[in-house]
Amino acid sequence: MRQIVLDTETTGLNPRTGDRIIEVGCVEIFNRKLTGNNFHRYINPERDSDEAALAVHGLTTEFLSDKPKFHEIAHELRDFVQGAEIIIHNAPFDLAFLNHEFERMGLPPFVEHCANVIDTLVHAKELHPGKRNSLDALCDRYGISNAHRKLHGALLDSELLADVYLAMTRGQNTLSMDVEIEASGGGIVLEAGPLGEILVLPAAADELVEHENVLAALDKGVKGECVWRKYSPQG
């Protein structure tokens, strides 16, 4: 499955009042692996950013003045996402801008070029009800470093969201023992064979002594019985 993690930066909050896209970042995932085949463009919006938006992304009018306009990158973006599943955090915001930009050019809405859209904010709220589910909060929750994120950036945020999405959905991809294995050569389908004998190697006496020393040190540290004692067969 080909998936595209997408983010945009904009001049403000509402495309209907003239706000425009100023940056698009896309990160490709294929079969749950990052491919490195990414798409990133800065865009001249032909207007200034609101002060609040500028404080978020830091992309000044001067910096964007020599960048291509949206209609100059739209077909390239469309071809990149064509037929893929799109992953966005708070999808209605980005899709409103993308659909508006495509419709301004007389093209079908952006969503019509994609297989479907996954909103990771909705998914996160289902997994973690009542908790903060911003991108920064999810990075903290799943142990993904965002220390280098001083300002919002479309490509940087897409890269972080890709890691968050893969971590957040890891448990949804289980292995089945009733699979078929396709031979790498001639496309011959073989039934999965039986599992080999499971070998159990017990700890040696000196290893058990060392393990007990570690538990004793933990007991001393908590001034009582450490939690590992509850799961120790000798505890």
Side-chain angles (χ1 to χ4, degrees):
M1 176 186 294
R2 183 171 184 261
Q3 298 172 301
I4 302 295
V5 183
L6 182 148
D7 186 52
T8 65
E9 297 299 334
T10 64
T11 62
L13 298 177
N14 192 345
R16 294 183 179 179
T17 58
D19 285 314
R20 304 289 301 276
I21 294 175
I22 59 175
E23 185 185 6
V24 178
C26 301
V27 171
E28 184 182 61
I29 299 175
F30 189 76
N31 289 340
R32 293 188 58 79
K33 294 185 183 299
L34 299 172
T35 68
N37 178 31
N38 300 335
F39 179 93
H40 180 224
R41 298 290 183 275
Y42 291 110
I43 298 162
N44 179 359
E46 303 178 271
R47 58 156 292 170
D48 295 336
S49 291
D50 296 343
E51 289 186 10
L54 182 60
V56 170
H57 54 65
L59 299 175
T60 64
T61 302
E62 181 181 8
F63 172 79
L64 297 169
S65 62
D66 62 346
K67 304 301 184 288
K69 299 176 177 62
F70 190 89
H71 73 268
E72 297 177 89
I73 65 97
H75 294 286
E76 190 180 7
L77 173 62
R78 180 194 61 189
D79 293 343
F80 185 82
V81 303
Q82 192 74 42
E85 183 173 67
I86 307 300
I87 300 168
I88 307 177
H89 200 65
N90 191 19
F93 178 86
D94 300 86
L95 291 179
F97 277 91
L98 288 164
N99 287 337
H100 184 76
E101 293 283 4
F102 271 56
E103 289 166 0
R104 288 180 82 249
M105 297 176 57
L107 296 174
F110 175 83
V111 291
E112 292 189 14
H113 304 282
C114 313
N116 64 289
V117 176
I118 293 176
D119 190 337
T120 50
L121 179 58
V122 172
H123 190 46
K125 287 180 177 179
E126 293 172 349
L127 291 175
H128 314 289
K131 296 184 179 180
R132 293 176 58 248
N133 288 299
S134 66
L135 181 55
D136 284 334
L138 291 173
C139 285
D140 290 341
R141 188 168 300 142
Y142 289 102
I144 295 165
S145 175
N146 61 349
H148 55 303
R149 185 182 188 240
K150 306 303 180 185
L151 292 170
H152 286 246
L155 183 60
L156 172 59
D157 287 1
S158 292
E159 290 171 339
L160 291 173
L161 183 58
D163 288 337
V164 165
Y165 172 77
L166 291 173
M168 189 163 55
T169 59
R170 188 169 293 132
Q172 296 177 7
N173 294 271
T174 58
L175 295 176
S176 170
M177 303 312 297
D178 298 324
V179 296
E180 292 182 331
I181 303 173
E182 183 174 347
S184 58
I188 302 171
V189 176
L190 305 174
E191 293 186 359
L195 291 175
E197 181 183 357
I198 298 175
L199 301 178
V200 178
L201 299 177
D206 58 332
E207 292 173 327
L208 292 173
V209 171
E210 184 61 28
H211 178 65
E212 179 58 34
N213 291 339
V214 172
L215 292 181
L218 292 174
D219 290 343
K220 184 177 180 180
V222 298
K223 297 180 180 180
E225 186 177 79
C226 71
V227 67
W228 300 107
R229 295 284 188 189
K230 297 179 181 179
Y231 301 99
S232 173
Q234 301 177 23

